[in-house]
Amino acid sequence: MAAWLIYALLSAAAAALVSIFGKIGLQNIDANAATAIRAVIMALFLLGVIAVQGKFGQLGSILAQKKALSFIVLSGVAGATSWLFYFLALKYGKVSQVGPIDKLSVVIAVILAFLFLGEKISWLNSAGVVLIAIGALLVAVK
């Protein structure tokens, strides 16, 4: 099995746990404050990971690359915005509805990759993207 597929499946499993743990944790608390706490915990955890891997020194070289850093910052802002909206949606909605709608990000990412990165999409890929969109909506509709 390809490494990217293993990592993608592990990512999906971890993301599913985010939904479950987040929904349980959001009872009677502010979603934005909870998201901030989550972000701090994630930052500390990830700093620990790179320290254990011996890659802490790479932070300086990344900070020195202005273009890379700019896009990493934009990615961080987009991710934080996504988390804010995701936790708000979880607070007021059902995981079984919020999760599938959130996965429309796959559809949006493929479209943006086509438009801005020049990634090619075959007819088969396009059919899959349409099916993902239809599936997400069908699962979320109650």
Side-chain angles (χ1 to χ4, degrees):
M1 190 178 297
W4 70 265
L5 182 56
I6 293 168
Y7 291 138
L9 290 170
L10 289 171
S11 173
L17 291 176
V18 169
S19 300
I20 301 303
F21 295 155
K23 181 67 177 177
I24 295 168
L26 284 168
Q27 295 174 4
N28 303 316
I29 63 168
D30 179 69
N32 291 343
T35 303
I37 291 169
R38 176 181 179 234
V40 170
I41 292 166
M42 288 177 62
L44 293 173
F45 177 82
L46 292 170
L47 287 172
V49 168
I50 63 169
V52 167
Q53 291 177 332
K55 297 180 180 180
F56 209 78
Q58 291 183 9
L59 292 178
S61 65
I62 293 171
L63 294 173
Q65 297 181 41
K66 291 183 186 202
K67 181 180 178 182
L69 183 59
S70 296
F71 282 98
I72 290 169
V73 167
L74 288 172
S75 176
V77 170
T81 303
S82 172
W83 295 347
L84 285 170
F85 288 129
Y86 189 75
F87 265 40
L88 283 167
L90 278 179
K91 181 157 181 81
Y92 299 110
K94 296 179 180 179
V95 171
S96 61
Q97 292 176 303
V98 173
I101 295 299
D102 178 64
K103 297 311 170 226
L104 287 174
S105 63
V106 172
V107 175
I108 296 167
V110 170
I111 293 168
L112 293 176
F114 173 77
L115 294 174
F116 296 109
L117 302 177
E119 292 187 11
K120 303 298 179 206
I121 302 172
S122 70
W123 286 106
L124 186 61
N125 297 144
S126 297
V129 169
V130 169
L131 289 173
I132 290 170
I134 292 169
L137 294 172
L138 289 176
V139 172
V141 173
K142 296 287 178 184

